[in-house]
Amino acid sequence: MSWNPRPARWTIGRLGQARPDYEAIVRKLVQYFADVLEEERDKLADNLVVGNKDIRSYVNKFQWEGAKYPLKQSLKVLSEIIGKQVTQIDNDLKTKSIAYNNLKNNLASIDRKATGSLITKDLSDLVKAEDFVLNSEYLQTLMVVVPKILVKEWEAKYASFSDMVVPQSSKLITEDGEHCLFSVTLFKKVIDEYKNTCRENKFIVRDFVYDEDSLRAGRNERDKLLQEKQRQYAPLVRWLKVNFGEIFSAYIHVKALRVFVESVLRYGLPVNFQAALLEPNKNAHKKLRTELNKLYAHLDGSAGGPIDAFEDSPALMSLGVHDYYSYVFFKLNIDFISK
């Protein structure tokens, strides 16, 4: 269902101010709303309401909201009121999305470290204090990732990579699809040498030092981030729901303004025209155009040619006009979910 303005013909700018891209801002808010809902995004349509009406019902039963946009005001003032309202919502959306996205990204960063292969994932939840020699002045336990196809080689060679490896200190900690995680204990003075030898033999020493306080702090940080995200979720959803209604209402009011202004500019005063909302059946757009052209071709000779031949009008093409008709036409998109 739509009306599409001819950009070369008129914008709110003709009333004295630059026009925000209302439809783009509505789409941005809807897209972000879906992102916030995450697993519940199937409930998005239920939240896209204007007052107590769904989008289609609001458009079909549209009435000018005089309390918000007093008709006694000039067109310029009305356009400024709507423009400021939409700009404020857009700015607030940017601020709120940045704050909430930072929480989500920090959580995602922590969670990514807990996934993946043993080569990259965080080892904090995979190891225990008893897997390490702790509080030793001379000894340190390393965590080594070994490809499964090289496990026997590791078991045969690990003690020979240095003469300061604690005998029989290698233990299997865990494994995933392609790798095994082993511990090995050795003297601190030969750690760099041992890491280099492991690397030459395709064994990966993880840069991990067991610290109970750090591990506890990391878990607490994730819990705090998760709690803060949950705390912000409900108010953000409410804000998005309320402000979708506000911004969509503003979007439709701007369309109504443009219909009026364009009609006056086209046909003059006194006002003698009627606005109508048309939604053709699927694949019937061209047929509707043809019928409308037959009915209203007499209103504007420059648009009186065949529907498929507007390209033959150099004057219109020079203005960038590709959808100029003898009647005033605006495209109104409400397919915010499908796109």
Side-chain angles (χ1 to χ4, degrees), residues 156-167:
K157 290 184 176 181
Y158 80 88
S160 65
F161 291 166
S162 173
D163 57 3
M164 292 190 175
V165 177
V166 176

mmCIF file with all atom_site columns, all heavy atoms in Angstrom, residues 156-167:
data_model
loop_
_atom_site.group_PDB
_atom_site.id
_atom_site.type_symbol
_atom_site.label_atom_id
_atom_site.label_alt_id
_atom_site.label_comp_id
_atom_site.label_asym_id
_atom_site.label_entity_id
_atom_site.label_seq_id
_atom_site.pdbx_PDB_ins_code
_atom_site.Cartn_x
_atom_site.Cartn_y
_atom_site.Cartn_z
_atom_site.occupancy
_atom_site.B_iso_or_equiv
_atom_site.pdbx_formal_charge
_atom_site.auth_seq_id
_atom_site.auth_comp_id
_atom_site.auth_asym_id
_atom_site.auth_atom_id
_atom_site.pdbx_PDB_model_num
ATOM 1  N N   . ALA A 1 156 ? 54.507 -39.250 24.362 1.00 0.00 ? 156 ALA A N   1
ATOM 2  C CA  . ALA A 1 156 ? 55.847 -39.829 24.260 1.00 0.00 ? 156 ALA A CA  1
ATOM 3  C C   . ALA A 1 156 ? 56.949 -38.784 24.376 1.00 0.00 ? 156 ALA A C   1
ATOM 4  O O   . ALA A 1 156 ? 58.055 -39.090 24.849 1.00 0.00 ? 156 ALA A O   1
ATOM 5  C CB  . ALA A 1 156 ? 55.982 -40.571 22.932 1.00 0.00 ? 156 ALA A CB  1
ATOM 6  N N   . LYS A 1 157 ? 56.676 -37.551 23.990 1.00 0.00 ? 157 LYS A N   1
ATOM 7  C CA  . LYS A 1 157 ? 57.745 -36.560 23.875 1.00 0.00 ? 157 LYS A CA  1
ATOM 8  C C   . LYS A 1 157 ? 57.737 -35.446 24.919 1.00 0.00 ? 157 LYS A C   1
ATOM 9  O O   . LYS A 1 157 ? 58.761 -34.793 25.122 1.00 0.00 ? 157 LYS A O   1
ATOM 10 C CB  . LYS A 1 157 ? 57.671 -35.897 22.490 1.00 0.00 ? 157 LYS A CB  1
ATOM 11 C CG  . LYS A 1 157 ? 58.056 -36.779 21.326 1.00 0.00 ? 157 LYS A CG  1
ATOM 12 C CD  . LYS A 1 157 ? 58.019 -35.963 20.035 1.00 0.00 ? 157 LYS A CD  1
ATOM 13 C CE  . LYS A 1 157 ? 58.489 -36.749 18.832 1.00 0.00 ? 157 LYS A CE  1
ATOM 14 N NZ  . LYS A 1 157 ? 58.460 -35.925 17.605 1.00 0.00 ? 157 LYS A NZ  1
ATOM 15 N N   . TYR A 1 158 ? 56.576 -35.155 25.545 1.00 0.00 ? 158 TYR A N   1
ATOM 16 C CA  . TYR A 1 158 ? 56.467 -33.920 26.324 1.00 0.00 ? 158 TYR A CA  1
ATOM 17 C C   . TYR A 1 158 ? 57.560 -33.782 27.378 1.00 0.00 ? 158 TYR A C   1
ATOM 18 O O   . TYR A 1 158 ? 58.067 -32.679 27.628 1.00 0.00 ? 158 TYR A O   1
ATOM 19 C CB  . TYR A 1 158 ? 55.082 -33.813 26.977 1.00 0.00 ? 158 TYR A CB  1
ATOM 20 C CG  . TYR A 1 158 ? 54.900 -34.620 28.229 1.00 0.00 ? 158 TYR A CG  1
ATOM 21 C CD1 . TYR A 1 158 ? 55.224 -34.103 29.484 1.00 0.00 ? 158 TYR A CD1 1
ATOM 22 C CD2 . TYR A 1 158 ? 54.416 -35.933 28.177 1.00 0.00 ? 158 TYR A CD2 1
ATOM 23 C CE1 . TYR A 1 158 ? 55.052 -34.840 30.636 1.00 0.00 ? 158 TYR A CE1 1
ATOM 24 C CE2 . TYR A 1 158 ? 54.249 -36.676 29.320 1.00 0.00 ? 158 TYR A CE2 1
ATOM 25 C CZ  . TYR A 1 158 ? 54.571 -36.130 30.548 1.00 0.00 ? 158 TYR A CZ  1
ATOM 26 O OH  . TYR A 1 158 ? 54.416 -36.881 31.689 1.00 0.00 ? 158 TYR A OH  1
ATOM 27 N N   . ALA A 1 159 ? 57.960 -34.897 27.990 1.00 0.00 ? 159 ALA A N   1
ATOM 28 C CA  . ALA A 1 159 ? 58.972 -34.826 29.049 1.00 0.00 ? 159 ALA A CA  1
ATOM 29 C C   . ALA A 1 159 ? 60.368 -34.596 28.500 1.00 0.00 ? 159 ALA A C   1
ATOM 30 O O   . ALA A 1 159 ? 61.270 -34.172 29.247 1.00 0.00 ? 159 ALA A O   1
ATOM 31 C CB  . ALA A 1 159 ? 58.945 -36.097 29.883 1.00 0.00 ? 159 ALA A CB  1
ATOM 32 N N   . SER A 1 160 ? 60.541 -34.827 27.187 1.00 0.00 ? 160 SER A N   1
ATOM 33 C CA  . SER A 1 160 ? 61.876 -34.685 26.599 1.00 0.00 ? 160 SER A CA  1
ATOM 34 C C   . SER A 1 160 ? 62.118 -33.294 26.033 1.00 0.00 ? 160 SER A C   1
ATOM 35 O O   . SER A 1 160 ? 63.220 -33.008 25.564 1.00 0.00 ? 160 SER A O   1
ATOM 36 C CB  . SER A 1 160 ? 62.064 -35.724 25.481 1.00 0.00 ? 160 SER A CB  1
ATOM 37 O OG  . SER A 1 160 ? 61.164 -35.473 24.411 1.00 0.00 ? 160 SER A OG  1
ATOM 38 N N   . PHE A 1 161 ? 61.122 -32.432 26.077 1.00 0.00 ? 161 PHE A N   1
ATOM 39 C CA  . PHE A 1 161 ? 61.301 -31.093 25.522 1.00 0.00 ? 161 PHE A CA  1
ATOM 40 C C   . PHE A 1 161 ? 62.202 -30.235 26.409 1.00 0.00 ? 161 PHE A C   1
ATOM 41 O O   . PHE A 1 161 ? 62.657 -29.182 25.996 1.00 0.00 ? 161 PHE A O   1
ATOM 42 C CB  . PHE A 1 161 ? 59.956 -30.399 25.347 1.00 0.00 ? 161 PHE A CB  1
ATOM 43 C CG  . PHE A 1 161 ? 59.090 -30.997 24.261 1.00 0.00 ? 161 PHE A CG  1
ATOM 44 C CD1 . PHE A 1 161 ? 57.742 -30.668 24.166 1.00 0.00 ? 161 PHE A CD1 1
ATOM 45 C CD2 . PHE A 1 161 ? 59.617 -31.885 23.337 1.00 0.00 ? 161 PHE A CD2 1
ATOM 46 C CE1 . PHE A 1 161 ? 56.949 -31.206 23.167 1.00 0.00 ? 161 PHE A CE1 1
ATOM 47 C CE2 . PHE A 1 161 ? 58.826 -32.431 22.341 1.00 0.00 ? 161 PHE A CE2 1
ATOM 48 C CZ  . PHE A 1 161 ? 57.493 -32.090 22.257 1.00 0.00 ? 161 PHE A CZ  1
ATOM 49 N N   . SER A 1 162 ? 62.417 -30.670 27.628 1.00 0.00 ? 162 SER A N   1
ATOM 50 C CA  . SER A 1 162 ? 63.324 -29.986 28.544 1.00 0.00 ? 162 SER A CA  1
ATOM 51 C C   . SER A 1 162 ? 63.712 -30.969 29.641 1.00 0.00 ? 162 SER A C   1
ATOM 52 O O   . SER A 1 162 ? 62.967 -31.900 29.949 1.00 0.00 ? 162 SER A O   1
ATOM 53 C CB  . SER A 1 162 ? 62.655 -28.752 29.157 1.00 0.00 ? 162 SER A CB  1
ATOM 54 O OG  . SER A 1 162 ? 63.479 -28.187 30.156 1.00 0.00 ? 162 SER A OG  1
ATOM 55 N N   . ASP A 1 163 ? 64.894 -30.759 30.224 1.00 0.00 ? 163 ASP A N   1
ATOM 56 C CA  . ASP A 1 163 ? 65.308 -31.644 31.320 1.00 0.00 ? 163 ASP A CA  1
ATOM 57 C C   . ASP A 1 163 ? 64.782 -31.170 32.664 1.00 0.00 ? 163 ASP A C   1
ATOM 58 O O   . ASP A 1 163 ? 65.157 -31.692 33.711 1.00 0.00 ? 163 ASP A O   1
ATOM 59 C CB  . ASP A 1 163 ? 66.842 -31.774 31.369 1.00 0.00 ? 163 ASP A CB  1
ATOM 60 C CG  . ASP A 1 163 ? 67.527 -30.429 31.507 1.00 0.00 ? 163 ASP A CG  1
ATOM 61 O OD1 . ASP A 1 163 ? 66.816 -29.399 31.613 1.00 0.00 ? 163 ASP A OD1 1
ATOM 62 O OD2 . ASP A 1 163 ? 68.767 -30.386 31.496 1.00 0.00 ? 163 ASP A OD2 1
ATOM 63 N N   . MET A 1 164 ? 63.878 -30.166 32.614 1.00 0.00 ? 164 MET A N   1
ATOM 64 C CA  . MET A 1 164 ? 63.311 -29.649 33.862 1.00 0.00 ? 164 MET A CA  1
ATOM 65 C C   . MET A 1 164 ? 61.792 -29.806 33.894 1.00 0.00 ? 164 MET A C   1
ATOM 66 O O   . MET A 1 164 ? 61.084 -29.011 34.499 1.00 0.00 ? 164 MET A O   1
ATOM 67 C CB  . MET A 1 164 ? 63.686 -28.173 34.057 1.00 0.00 ? 164 MET A CB  1
ATOM 68 C CG  . MET A 1 164 ? 65.163 -27.955 34.321 1.00 0.00 ? 164 MET A CG  1
ATOM 69 S SD  . MET A 1 164 ? 65.537 -26.275 34.817 1.00 0.00 ? 164 MET A SD  1
ATOM 70 C CE  . MET A 1 164 ? 67.297 -26.423 35.185 1.00 0.00 ? 164 MET A CE  1
ATOM 71 N N   . VAL A 1 165 ? 61.284 -30.847 33.255 1.00 0.00 ? 165 VAL A N   1
ATOM 72 C CA  . VAL A 1 165 ? 59.862 -31.173 33.291 1.00 0.00 ? 165 VAL A CA  1
ATOM 73 C C   . VAL A 1 165 ? 59.615 -32.167 34.409 1.00 0.00 ? 165 VAL A C   1
ATOM 74 O O   . VAL A 1 165 ? 60.365 -33.139 34.567 1.00 0.00 ? 165 VAL A O   1
ATOM 75 C CB  . VAL A 1 165 ? 59.402 -31.773 31.947 1.00 0.00 ? 165 VAL A CB  1
ATOM 76 C CG1 . VAL A 1 165 ? 57.931 -32.183 32.031 1.00 0.00 ? 165 VAL A CG1 1
ATOM 77 C CG2 . VAL A 1 165 ? 59.623 -30.793 30.812 1.00 0.00 ? 165 VAL A CG2 1
ATOM 78 N N   . VAL A 1 166 ? 58.588 -31.932 35.201 1.00 0.00 ? 166 VAL A N   1
ATOM 79 C CA  . VAL A 1 166 ? 58.253 -32.862 36.268 1.00 0.00 ? 166 VAL A CA  1
ATOM 80 C C   . VAL A 1 166 ? 57.778 -34.177 35.643 1.00 0.00 ? 166 VAL A C   1
ATOM 81 O O   . VAL A 1 166 ? 56.850 -34.173 34.824 1.00 0.00 ? 166 VAL A O   1
ATOM 82 C CB  . VAL A 1 166 ? 57.156 -32.288 37.175 1.00 0.00 ? 166 VAL A CB  1
ATOM 83 C CG1 . VAL A 1 166 ? 56.740 -33.308 38.234 1.00 0.00 ? 166 VAL A CG1 1
ATOM 84 C CG2 . VAL A 1 166 ? 57.645 -30.995 37.836 1.00 0.00 ? 166 VAL A CG2 1
ATOM 85 N N   . PRO A 1 167 ? 58.383 -35.284 35.973 1.00 0.00 ? 167 PRO A N   1
ATOM 86 C CA  . PRO A 1 167 ? 58.012 -36.572 35.373 1.00 0.00 ? 167 PRO A CA  1
ATOM 87 C C   . PRO A 1 167 ? 56.543 -36.919 35.610 1.00 0.00 ? 167 PRO A C   1
ATOM 88 O O   . PRO A 1 167 ? 55.990 -36.646 36.682 1.00 0.00 ? 167 PRO A O   1
ATOM 89 C CB  . PRO A 1 167 ? 58.934 -37.571 36.074 1.00 0.00 ? 167 PRO A CB  1
ATOM 90 C CG  . PRO A 1 167 ? 60.096 -36.760 36.539 1.00 0.00 ? 167 PRO A CG  1
ATOM 91 C CD  . PRO A 1 167 ? 59.517 -35.427 36.905 1.00 0.00 ? 167 PRO A CD  1
#
